[in-house]
Amino acid sequence: MPRHPAVLVLSSALLVAALAASPAARRAQGQFAWSQCQDQPPAWYGSAEAVRVADLVLLYQRRSGGWPKNIDMARALTDAERREVAGAAADTDSTVDNGATTTQLRFLARVYDATRANRFRASFEAGFDYLLSAQYPNGGWPQFFPLRDDYSRHITFNDDAMVSVMEVLRDSAEGPAPFGFVDAQRRARAAEAVKRGIAVILKAQVRVQGRLTAWCAQHDEVTLAPAKARTYEHPSLSGSESVGVLRFLMSLPNPSADVVAAVEAGVAWLRESPLSGLRVERRADASLPGGFDRVAVKDPAAPPIWARFYEIGTNRPIFSGRDSIIRYDMASIEHERRVNYAWYGYWPADLLAREYPEWKKRR
C-alpha cells in the first residue's frame, strides 16, 4: 500500500544509514533488525538489546497511539535522526497495514512481560486503545486511522491487516503470556471488539447467485460490498486474503453455526478455484528493466496454483495494470506491475491439505 508523504520523507532520510549496516554486521555487534526481534528466545526480551529496540519503538509511536509502517525500528539512530523521528510524533500516518502497530504491540508485550518497565506498558496500552478506537461501529477496521479520504477507509483484509488486529485483541482478551498484564477493562473491550469483528466478517462474505463464497481484499465500510483499492486492485474474490480470514475463523474455540457455514463455504470456493497445469516463472530478459520478466507457462506437472483475484460471477482470474483496465492474462499488463505484484500463489495449499482437515477433526 502507498505510504503517507510524511513517511516517505522520513524513510528516505533514514535509508542511507540503514543500507550501510548489513544484518550480518549488526548481528556481529549484538544488534538485531526489526524483522529479527519478533521470534527470539523468551529470555532475550529482557536483554539490553531488547530494551534498546523497545525504546526506539516508543520513539516512533505517534500521538494517536499507533505506528507508521515499513520502518526498521531496531536500527540505531543518530542524534539528528532521533530528533527527526520525535518531530514526527503528530503525523497522522498510524496504520495496521504491513503489520504496523500489531507487530509493535506484540513486541512491547513481550518486553514488558520480561522487564516490568512501566514505560513499555504505557506505550502498549496507548497502542491497544488506538486499535479499539479505530474500529468501525459495524466491527471492521480501516487501513489507516485517523481516517483518510481514500480507499484506505475500506474495511481492510488486504495483507491480513484486520485479521492481525483481531488476533492481538483476542490474545489480549484471553490473557496467555505475554498478555497477562492487560487489565480487566481492556480485556472486556477487546473481547467485544473481536465479537463485532467476527460479525462483520460473516456479513461481508460474498454471495454469488445466493451461495457464500469468499472475501474481497477490502470491503466498503458502510455497505460491506467488495470495494476497489489501488488502480490495479478491483472488487473481486481474493485467493490470498480469504485464506487469512478462514484461518482466523478456524482458530475460534467454539465456532457458531454461522462461523462453521462460512468456513465450509470458503473452503469449498478455494477447492473450486485452483488453476492446473500452470507455473509462474521468473525469466531472465536483459532487454527489460531489472533484467527479468515474470511469465505464466503451461506445465502439466505443476501443482495447483491460485490467482490473487477472481472476477465475481465468472470466477475468472483477473489482472490489471496502473491503467485500471481489467484483463484476463498476466502477460497483458505492463511489465512493472507484472513483476512487482503477487498475481499467483499457493496461499490456500496448506490450509486445504492440512489445516482444514485438522479443524474438521477437532470439531
Side-chain angles (χ1 to χ4, degrees), residues 23-299:
R26 291 167 66 175
R27 283 195 299 273
Q29 298 170 5
Q31 295 184 357
F32 292 75
W34 179 236
S35 61
Q36 299 171 303
C37 294
Q38 312 307 315
D39 54 3
Q40 297 301 313
W44 182 84
Y45 293 92
S47 69
E49 173 63 2
V51 169
R52 181 192 72 82
V53 175
D55 280 327
L56 286 170
V57 170
L58 267 60
L59 185 66
Y60 279 104
Q61 189 171 25
R62 303 314 197 207
R63 289 176 191 165
S64 64
W67 282 266
K69 63 177 178 176
N70 300 338
I71 297 174
D72 180 355
M73 297 192 178
R75 188 181 66 81
L77 303 177
T78 65
D79 289 344
E81 290 169 341
R82 293 181 70 89
R83 288 192 295 271
E84 182 184 357
V85 173
D91 284 2
T92 57
D93 55 355
S94 295
T95 181
V96 295
D97 190 32
N98 291 358
T101 301
T102 54
T103 302
Q104 282 81 3
L105 288 175
R106 287 192 177 279
F107 177 72
L108 287 173
R110 298 182 76 170
V111 175
Y112 175 73
D113 189 53
T115 66
R116 294 294 159 171
N118 286 333
R119 66 186 184 280
F120 301 136
R121 176 169 183 164
S123 178
F124 173 91
E125 290 177 345
F128 188 93
D129 293 347
Y130 166 84
L131 294 183
L132 295 175
S133 298
Q135 188 179 30
Y136 285 122
N138 64 13
W141 272 271
Q143 183 189 141
F144 280 87
F145 187 79
L147 295 173
R148 298 179 175 184
D149 292 326
D150 59 17
Y151 67 82
S152 67
R153 299 174 71 97
H154 295 324
I155 293 171
T156 304
F157 297 124
N158 191 53
D159 294 333
D160 294 333
M162 177 165 154
V163 167
S164 296
V165 172
M166 294 178 68
E167 287 174 340
V168 167
L169 294 178
R170 176 199 61 196
D171 293 349
S172 299
E174 295 175 355
F179 297 101
F181 66 89
V182 179
D183 61 81
Q185 184 181 35
R186 285 188 171 87
R187 287 185 195 280
R189 292 179 65 199
E192 177 59 28
V194 171
K195 182 179 178 180
R196 288 191 288 128
I198 294 169
V200 81
I201 286 174
L202 298 181
K203 291 176 184 176
Q205 191 171 15
V206 180
R207 288 184 180 271
V208 177
Q209 297 179 350
R211 178 189 170 199
L212 286 172
T213 58
W215 290 265
C216 186
Q218 51 280 316
H219 287 251
D220 185 274
E221 66 275 18
V222 177
T223 68
L224 305 186
K228 185 175 183 177
R230 289 174 287 190
T231 55
Y232 46 89
E233 294 170 328
H234 295 269
S236 57
L237 299 179
S238 173
S240 173
E241 278 74 17
S242 295
V243 174
V245 175
L246 286 169
R247 282 196 172 116
F248 182 82
L249 294 178
M250 290 164 55
S251 75
L252 301 176
N254 297 297
S256 66
D258 287 342
V259 168
V260 171
V263 171
E264 297 287 6
V267 167
W269 179 79
L270 288 174
R271 283 177 166 169
E272 296 170 359
S273 302
L275 308 168
S276 300
L278 185 69
R279 174 172 50 83
V280 178
E281 178 180 290
R282 178 185 167 114
R283 182 174 295 173
D285 188 336
S287 69
L288 293 172
F292 77 98
D293 199 358
R294 185 166 283 120
V295 298
V297 298
K298 292 182 178 180
D299 181 354

